[in-house]
Amino acid sequence: MKKIFNITLAIIILGVLNAHSQVPQKENLYTLQSGESMVYGENCFNFSDNGKEIFIVIHGNDGYYTINNGVKKGPFKEMNESLLKPCKQNNNNCSVFEPNGNTEFSYDEYVKTNDDGTFSINFKGKDYGTFTALQAFELSSDKNSFVASAVAPDMSKELILSNGKTIKVDGLVSKIYFSPNGSMFIAKVGFDYTAQNIDPTKINMEQISSYTLLTSDGVKIGPFNGEKVTESDIWFTQTTGNHWFIRNGDDLLLDGKPFMKMPENANRCDLWFSSDCKRYAVTSYDKVKFSDNTVVPYPIITTLFYKEGKAYLRLITLENDKEINVYTKAL
Amino acid sequence: MTKKLMCTQRLYSKLIISFIVCIIASCSNKGKDYKDIFGQKYIEAERYINSNKWIQDSLARYEIDPSLGISIVFPELIRYSAIKDKIETRSLEVLYTQYGTKYADFSIGKFQMKPSFAYQLEKDWDSFYERDPIKCQIKPFNLNDNPETRRDRIIRLKDEKWQIRYLVMFLKVVEKKYKVNHCDPEMEISFIASAYNSGYSNDSIIIVKMEKQDFFHTGILKPKKCYNYPEISVYYYKKKCRK
């Protein structure tokens, strides 16, 4: 009876441990033969991984070879642009969500200057405004919604939302960050030097550079020192939906609240979080370390991909000078 | 007699034409308008320098003539502007950290410096500058070759302030290593630019020889038409001095 209990307990413990510490799945992609080496140009590596297929260019004794999902082709006598093409695809090394589109272009496309010098917005056939001034216009990545920062005819400042709502703000909006699916935004609200009642002799640099953050839920966070916490210290990630991050010196804030210390030598691109932000991985030149202490050494390519709605990291390594391996682990 | 005179005249006119052709050829070669040739890439490089005044201030603080220092790396800024969208060095940075230059030695940053170049400079800096007052501003390096020192080198090379420090170290080491002609700034720039582009560890005879060669291009692969790196440096310097 005691033996059965111990075995059951061991199975439960192993199960719990496994759930929290999944060993990355390892697979050998290719083993370099004698005289073979991986090919790279001056500025990029001929190795692409878009989450579906892995493409490698190698150089052997008799020329160049391509290996596409394990299928080796060649030898090719010369290296040409078509072999170099995959380099451009290796842009998945950063966890930060980068919105599509160009802000200036969006402004020109949707904002109209009227004959009397006022501004209005025409978005998907609907008119918004008029406004005395428009300071910022940001379109969501799916181009289905916008947020604009406007000065109303009574000189009050407000955010204009594409759903028809307006939000009063007590400063100048210098930047709007949309979440990946556009359902949330953060506005950076800074010092209002256009306000009528300010006394220039009583303003100091700290006041001018300080700002607060206003979320689409109406939550106000801050103030932050603009000299220390810059625009690039605020970001959404590719994997965490509407959760957002601020780096304030060594501290990392999640949704405006204290969360964890920034890992040493890491920049914002190196932090990969699970969708609930409970698990994470930190990439660096010498390893990827997961929050369950799993380590994958020297990841030359880090790729994010989704399987059945779950985010995975795929890490390609060169081990023992010759084994090209791929590790896969859920975030 | 008349026939002989006519013949001599013809010979002279041939010589004069050849001479004029030579002058025109030589002028057109010397007088290439690189701003026109590289267009937007040149303008972007110029804009970067003009909007980052700290670079000039930093060079001056290290007792380097800013115009000279910037001229040396200016062609690399043009190249960087041209290829910046195609640059993806993370994999190479990892491979260099893991295995060293045998696997990856590649150009990093706006001045397109390679880890091997930085390592050589660090070695020379440590040995050449024992009593130099500038030395205290750039401390000696850990020259052990291991993943940790290689990782630190990559971090430095990606930092713009360190890129300037490496440029300063390069200029100081070259000055110490070669008897650079300071009387003619254009000759000085041409020689130093050649050393930067072709490798400053080379013998001065080779650097001078390389000064005449056209290796510079702004593509990923080498095209048929290349340009002269030192000539672009001198062109930028002359344009800058005329302003």
Side-chain angles (χ1 to χ4, degrees), chain A residues 97-148:
Chain A
F97 165 69
E98 294 290 352
N100 293 326
N102 182 315
T103 305
E104 267 177 54
F105 180 74
S106 306
Y107 190 96
D108 292 344
E109 191 178 351
Y110 300 105
V111 176
K112 203 172 75 181
T113 311
N114 303 313
D115 293 340
D116 59 357
T118 60
F119 296 85
S120 52
I121 297 166
N122 184 283
F123 184 73
K124 292 185 183 269
K126 195 177 165 188
D127 287 318
Y128 303 78
T130 58
F131 311 106
T132 304
L134 265 176
Q135 285 144 347
F137 181 91
E138 194 70 33
L139 199 60
S140 63
S141 274
D142 60 7
K143 298 191 176 180
N144 283 330
S145 49
F146 77 82
V147 176

Side-chain angles (χ1 to χ4, degrees), chain A residues 40 42-43 93 300 318 321, chain B residues 88 91 98-99 102-103 107:
Chain A
Y40 60 89
E42 265 283 279
N43 301 93
N93 284 324
I300 47 179
L318 177 69
D321 263 9
Chain B
E88 179 49 61
S91 309
Q98 187 178 10
Y99 293 116
K102 71 170 181 173
Y103 255 97
S107 305

Side-chain angles (χ1 to χ4, degrees), chain B residues 67-76 167 170-171 188-194 196-197 229 233 236:
Chain B
S67 301
L68 183 142
I70 293 164
S71 301
I72 301 302
V73 291
F74 192 77
E76 296 293 9
L167 174 61
F170 164 77
L171 292 167
E188 183 183 0
I189 287 169
S190 182
F191 178 82
I192 301 172
S194 178
Y196 186 82
N197 188 233
Y229 188 103
S233 290
Y236 174 77

Side-chain angles (χ1 to χ4, degrees), chain A residues 67-198:
Chain A
I67 298 160
N68 199 354
N69 267 355
V71 179
K72 190 173 176 180
K73 280 185 186 169
F76 302 104
K77 277 193 174 171
E78 279 183 16
M79 188 75 176
N80 59 44
E81 288 285 351
S82 68
L83 290 177
L84 279 170
K85 217 188 258 177
C87 294
K88 288 185 205 168
Q89 295 168 18
N90 290 344
N91 287 327
N92 212 346
N93 284 324
C94 182
S95 64
V96 174
F97 165 69
E98 294 290 352
N100 293 326
N102 182 315
T103 305
E104 267 177 54
F105 180 74
S106 306
Y107 190 96
D108 292 344
E109 191 178 351
Y110 300 105
V111 176
K112 203 172 75 181
T113 311
N114 303 313
D115 293 340
D116 59 357
T118 60
F119 296 85
S120 52
I121 297 166
N122 184 283
F123 184 73
K124 292 185 183 269
K126 195 177 165 188
D127 287 318
Y128 303 78
T130 58
F131 311 106
T132 304
L134 265 176
Q135 285 144 347
F137 181 91
E138 194 70 33
L139 199 60
S140 63
S141 274
D142 60 7
K143 298 191 176 180
N144 283 330
S145 49
F146 77 82
V147 176
S149 152
V151 179
D154 65 357
M155 295 309 282
S156 64
K157 277 81 184 178
E158 55 192 19
L159 289 175
I160 312 299
L161 278 56
S162 48
N163 62 10
K165 286 184 183 167
T166 57
I167 302 172
K168 292 276 175 205
V169 285
D170 53 0
L172 291 181
V173 174
S174 57
K175 173 98 181 156
I176 295 159
Y177 303 82
F178 262 113
S179 66
N181 68 5
S183 64
M184 190 203 166
F185 70 84
I186 307 160
K188 184 177 172 229
V189 186
F191 181 76
D192 185 0
Y193 50 83
T194 65
Q196 308 276 320
N197 55 352
I198 57 165

Side-chain angles (χ1 to χ4, degrees), chain A residues 32 36-38 40-45 79-81 84 87-88 90-91 93 265 270 283-286 298-301 318-322, chain B residues 79 83 85-95 97-99 101-108 112 114 147 151-152 154-155 158 220-221:
Chain A
L32 294 169
E36 283 185 345
S37 59
M38 288 194 289
Y40 60 89
E42 265 283 279
N43 301 93
C44 65
F45 195 67
M79 188 75 176
N80 59 44
E81 288 285 351
L84 279 170
C87 294
K88 288 185 205 168
N90 290 344
N91 287 327
N93 284 324
N265 287 329
D270 301 329
T283 54
S284 59
Y285 291 130
D286 52 356
Y298 297 104
I300 47 179
I301 301 271
L318 177 69
E319 289 168 70
N320 306 316
D321 263 9
K322 58 182 181 187
Chain B
R79 182 172 152 76
I83 61 168
D85 296 334
K86 293 173 185 166
I87 292 176
E88 179 49 61
T89 53
R90 176 78 184 204
S91 309
L92 299 170
E93 288 155 16
V94 173
L95 279 175
T97 303
Q98 187 178 10
Y99 293 116
T101 46
K102 71 170 181 173
Y103 255 97
D105 194 21
F106 52 101
S107 305
I108 304 179
Q112 295 284 282
K114 289 183 177 177
R151 183 202 61 197
D152 291 348
I154 292 286
I155 291 170
K158 287 177 78 81
I220 293 285
L221 295 178

Side-chain angles (χ1 to χ4, degrees), chain B residues 85-137:
Chain B
D85 296 334
K86 293 173 185 166
I87 292 176
E88 179 49 61
T89 53
R90 176 78 184 204
S91 309
L92 299 170
E93 288 155 16
V94 173
L95 279 175
Y96 172 74
T97 303
Q98 187 178 10
Y99 293 116
T101 46
K102 71 170 181 173
Y103 255 97
D105 194 21
F106 52 101
S107 305
I108 304 179
K110 290 198 164 67
F111 302 163
Q112 295 284 282
M113 291 169 170
K114 289 183 177 177
S116 60
F117 168 82
Y119 179 64
Q120 185 63 46
L121 267 180
E122 290 168 11
K123 275 207 299 193
D124 289 342
W125 182 254
D126 282 10
S127 58
F128 280 9
Y129 278 85
E130 277 166 13
R131 286 180 295 276
D132 195 284
I134 293 281
K135 178 101 180 193
C136 61
Q137 293 180 47

